[in-house]
Amino acid sequence: MQLSSNRRVRIPAREGRAVALRAGEGLRVVTEEGGQVGDLFAVLVGTPPEWLSAAHTRGHLSRLFPAVGEQFLTDRRRPVLTLTEDTSPGRHDMLIPACDPARYRALGVRGWHASCAENLRTALAGTGVAVGTVPQPVNVFMDIPVTADGELLWRESPAGPGAAVAFRAELDCLVVVSACPQDVVGINSGGTKPLVLERLP
């Protein structure tokens, strides 16, 4: 897939798109209809590959949900994105891996089902960047709280129509966002919907 240079990129429901950012450039992710989760990845061009790591970010921030002004780290512990704006309720999961074919088979789905893991690979196809193991994304607009006894709760996204988060790139990177196709576990409020990416100066 060719990288989009448009200022505004629409991600159809259940698909993903890639955008190249230079350090200092920004990107806003909008759930125009509300309630749609987006799996967000950031991959650096180079060998060996380097990518945004939700696990390393959790360790750095000591938080489950990121806050405005905080930075996301790569697997080499370098800041790659900074959260600069959030008009949603602020629930952006950093625990759950990208959905993939094995996940849907375990949930009882027969045959092919779109997944964020496949959307990542499709979005990167033709860019010259490839990932072996799919990195754990930051799941924007996804609410997975942890109870006092350690249970994970799978809640519908609380993000209302027009809710947005914005990021500033700290390193040159490819940002991929997948409009999560999860329709078995009810994280997408009202079913799967498109997302919009807006480039920022």
Side-chain angles (χ1 to χ4, degrees):
M1 174 176 290
Q2 189 174 18
L3 290 171
S4 175
S5 59
N6 296 334
R7 302 297 290 181
R8 189 175 189 274
V9 177
R10 185 176 182 275
I11 307 174
R14 306 165 71 88
E15 295 185 16
R17 294 292 185 269
V19 174
L21 295 181
R22 296 285 189 184
E25 294 180 335
L27 185 71
R28 182 181 289 120
V29 184
V30 186
T31 173
E32 289 190 323
E33 298 178 39
Q36 174 61 44
V37 169
D39 285 35
L40 183 142
F41 307 86
V43 183
L44 279 65
V45 178
T47 303
E50 183 178 0
W51 52 75
L52 185 158
S53 168
H56 289 78
T57 300
R58 288 197 313 269
H60 172 68
L61 298 177
S62 296
R63 293 173 57 87
L64 287 179
F65 296 99
V68 171
E70 293 180 336
Q71 294 183 321
F72 300 88
L73 302 189
T74 72
D75 56 317
R76 298 187 207 170
R77 301 188 187 274
R78 296 199 294 164
V80 61
L81 296 176
T82 298
L83 182 60
T84 59
E85 173 191 351
D86 189 354
T87 65
S88 79
R91 309 301 275 189
H92 310 292
D93 168 70
M94 294 195 294
L95 289 176
I96 304 302
C99 58
D100 54 29
R103 170 67 166 156
Y104 289 108
R105 287 195 297 271
L107 291 171
V109 175
R110 295 184 178 182
W112 181 84
H113 191 290
S115 71
C116 290
E118 290 186 350
N119 285 347
L120 170 66
R121 293 193 170 99
T122 300
L124 290 177
T127 67
V129 176
V131 293
T133 300
V134 173
Q136 183 188 338
V138 173
N139 300 303
V140 297
F141 310 127
M142 183 172 174
D143 187 13
I144 307 291
V146 181
T147 67
D149 62 0
E151 181 184 2
L152 299 180
L153 301 180
W154 296 77
R155 291 182 174 169
E156 287 189 348
S157 170
V165 286
F167 305 87
R168 181 182 65 246
E170 304 301 335
L171 299 168
D172 295 353
C173 60
L174 300 180
V175 173
V176 176
V177 178
S178 170
C180 184
Q182 178 60 263
D183 55 4
V184 183
V185 177
I187 58 170
N188 289 311
S189 179
T192 58
K193 297 173 287 295
L195 292 171
V196 171
L197 304 181
E198 297 174 347
R199 289 178 175 271
L200 303 173

